[in-house]
Amino acid sequence: MSASQTSSSDVPADVPTLLVKIFGKDRPGITAGLFDTLAAYSVDVVDIEQVVTRGRMVLCALVTEPPPGLEGDLRATVHSWAESMKMQAEIISGLGDNRPRGLGRSLVTVLGHPLTAEATAAIAARITKTGGNIDRIFRLAKYPVTAVEFAVSGVETEPLRTALVTDAARLGIDVAVVAAGLYRRAQRLVVMDVDSTLIQDEVIELFAAHAGCEDKVAEVTAAAMRGELDFEQSLHARVALLEGLDASVVDKVRSEVRLTPGARTLIRTLKRLGYQVGVVSGGFTQVTDDLKERLGLDFAHANTLEIVDGRLTGKVTGEIVDRAGKARLLRRFAAEAGVPLSQTVAIGDGANDLDMLNAAGLGVAFNAKPVVREAAHAAVNFPFLDTVLYLLGVTREEVEAADTLDIV
């Protein structure tokens, strides 16, 4: 589906106008032909909207009334032209422009795989029940998920988000609700967690596998991610189990790291659209520095494993990157990038990402624990990291077009 819309200056409510609707099989020249036909009657264009779905076009033009005595001729000419193009025409008389949109404007992005009619009906009904009106609907992507964006007015963003997120979990879809406006396209910094977000692995578990203590480390990691343990204490406890490992294991772990499906596409597209991208991790700089170089990231910060005489000491050095630390780093990155915090995006999956997600202008829970999904602004429960692009209003066509551009 594609859509376009323009609007001229306001038309008084008592000025007669005509809504000209053309529909049928899409082909080149329909839009130009309609307005060539209307031009003969000295009408002004008030509004235009065109939608094409599976090769079928609906073109609507709201125009001022022609000079006295010419409306009948205009109607006959438009119908005759439409028939010659094997299209149908409908012309409706009225007064003034479209009614003003209600206060409170939001963009609702719905992700489904598949997106069922039942889910779509439920979302539309919920928008209506909250007092909102759906002004436009636009498909952002058809793969790897179906992503559809609703432009909604008449209700504030926060209550709309609260209402829709509850329905989303029940319907098995993902819903993101953000305030409409230019700032959405101005978001210029995206910061991600690393373990189980940017990559499929927990880095400390990769190290632990080489130390023969993988099960013990995994137990502590799981408890920490559920928010049951203090992160700093659990970090020290897990790292202590690595004492004595030869430093050569770092290169082995780097080679074992698996990027999340869609990670390269997400980063490549963001960079080519002018975004800055960073990572913060409760893992280790021995891995995040390598990821920064490989993926062309702008920022990266993590804990650092201490290495003395070619062996891991079982300790970390420097400031610990914990839950509060990730939020501090988001703010630091934003300041360095010259981006207001309200125009940042944070992505994470665990309890230690919550402060960062809440601090960002848009916090996205990616295949996250329940406590994180409930607290984040938006959730994505599909295994493709690049689906986050749709929450930013980036279409699949734009993703593919970005692949043809060079990073400047």
Side-chain angles (χ1 to χ4, degrees):
M1 179 182 291
S2 62
S4 59
Q5 185 176 22
T6 62
S7 182
S8 66
S9 57
D10 289 341
V11 173
D14 59 351
V15 171
T17 52
L18 297 175
L19 175 60
V20 181
K21 178 180 177 182
I22 305 295
F23 48 98
K25 184 178 180 181
D26 185 31
R27 63 176 66 84
I30 297 297
T31 304
L34 172 63
F35 287 98
D36 277 343
T37 302
L38 294 172
Y41 296 91
S42 302
V43 298
D44 294 330
V45 177
V46 178
D47 199 359
I48 309 170
E49 185 147 1
Q50 177 175 307
V51 177
V52 179
T53 305
R54 211 178 66 179
R56 307 296 292 183
M57 167 194 276
V58 178
L59 170 60
C60 293
L62 186 64
V63 299
T64 55
E65 189 180 53
L70 293 181
E71 182 178 335
D73 190 50
L74 179 151
R75 287 173 176 269
T77 301
V78 169
H79 279 285
S80 177
W81 167 82
E83 185 176 350
S84 73
M85 300 298 293
K86 295 184 171 53
M87 306 286 282
Q88 297 182 60
E90 181 180 6
I91 303 176
I92 303 172
S93 299
L95 296 174
D97 198 347
N98 305 309
R99 65 175 184 174
R101 294 178 63 190
L103 296 177
R105 299 181 184 180
S106 303
L107 296 171
V108 178
T109 306
V110 180
L111 308 179
H113 185 64
L115 179 60
T116 66
E118 177 188 7
T120 305
I123 292 298
R126 179 61 66 183
I127 290 171
T128 300
K129 288 179 182 178
T130 62
N133 183 71
I134 299 171
D135 299 314
R136 297 185 67 194
I137 305 174
F138 179 72
R139 187 179 72 183
L140 296 167
K142 59 183 178 182
Y143 71 93
V145 299
T146 300
V148 178
E149 182 178 271
F150 295 77
V152 177
S153 62
V155 60
E156 295 300 325
T157 299
E158 287 303 323
L160 180 61
R161 176 186 292 140
T162 300
L164 292 178
V165 166
T166 301
D167 283 352
R170 175 178 57 82
L171 296 166
I173 57 175
D174 290 335
V175 175
V177 183
V178 299
L182 293 176
Y183 89 95
R184 186 197 197 193
R185 281 291 194 173
Q187 290 170 325
R188 285 293 179 261
L189 174 65
V190 175
V191 176
M192 289 175 277
D193 173 44
V194 176
D195 293 9
S196 298
T197 300
L198 177 63
I199 67 175
Q200 300 178 58
D201 313 282
E202 293 289 329
V203 168
I204 196 166
E205 293 179 10
L206 297 179
F207 277 100
H210 291 281
C213 57
E214 187 176 13
D215 290 343
K216 291 181 180 179
V217 167
E219 290 176 7
V220 181
T221 299
M225 294 300 286
R226 291 193 299 267
E228 297 172 1
L229 294 177
D230 173 81
F231 178 81
E232 184 172 351
Q233 291 178 336
S234 68
L235 176 67
H236 288 303
R238 290 175 290 176
V239 171
L241 296 169
L242 307 181
E243 182 180 0
L245 269 179
D246 191 280
S248 63
V249 77
V250 170
D251 288 335
K252 295 177 182 178
V253 167
R254 287 175 174 174
S255 68
E256 293 167 351
V257 166
R258 301 167 299 162
L259 292 175
T260 298
R264 287 187 182 277
T265 300
L266 172 67
I267 295 170
R268 181 174 62 247
T269 303
L270 291 172
K271 295 290 292 180
R272 291 175 176 175
L273 293 177
Y275 284 64
Q276 297 187 62
V277 184
V279 294
V280 292
S281 177
F284 310 110
T285 57
Q286 282 83 356
V287 170
T288 58
D289 287 350
D290 180 62
L291 289 170
K292 180 182 180 183
E293 182 177 353
R294 286 167 51 196
L295 300 173
L297 302 174
D298 300 285
F299 305 97
H301 201 94
N303 302 301
T304 299
L305 291 169
E306 184 180 62
I307 298 176
V308 177
D309 296 330
R311 292 192 176 276
L312 276 63
T313 66
K315 299 178 182 178
V316 292
T317 62
E319 180 184 4
I320 298 298
V321 179
D322 56 7
R323 174 171 168 168
K326 288 187 174 185
R328 285 196 301 271
L329 287 164
L330 172 69
R331 294 185 176 93
R332 183 190 306 174
F333 293 168
E336 293 178 11
V339 174
L341 200 60
S342 62
Q343 294 177 2
T344 62
V345 180
I347 309 168
D349 74 299
N352 64 333
D353 297 316
L354 277 172
D355 289 3
M356 175 177 73
L357 298 181
N358 290 329
L362 176 64
V364 181
F366 179 72
N367 291 316
K369 313 300 183 289
V371 65
V372 182
R373 291 199 304 268
E374 293 168 5
H377 301 131
V380 171
N381 294 301
F382 300 100
F384 310 105
L385 193 56
D386 55 336
T387 55
V388 173
L389 290 166
Y390 308 140
L391 306 186
L392 308 181
V394 179
T395 68
R396 192 71 207 179
E397 288 80 5
E398 289 172 320
V399 173
E400 294 168 354
D403 283 343
T404 68
L405 302 176
D406 291 326
I407 297 177
V408 179

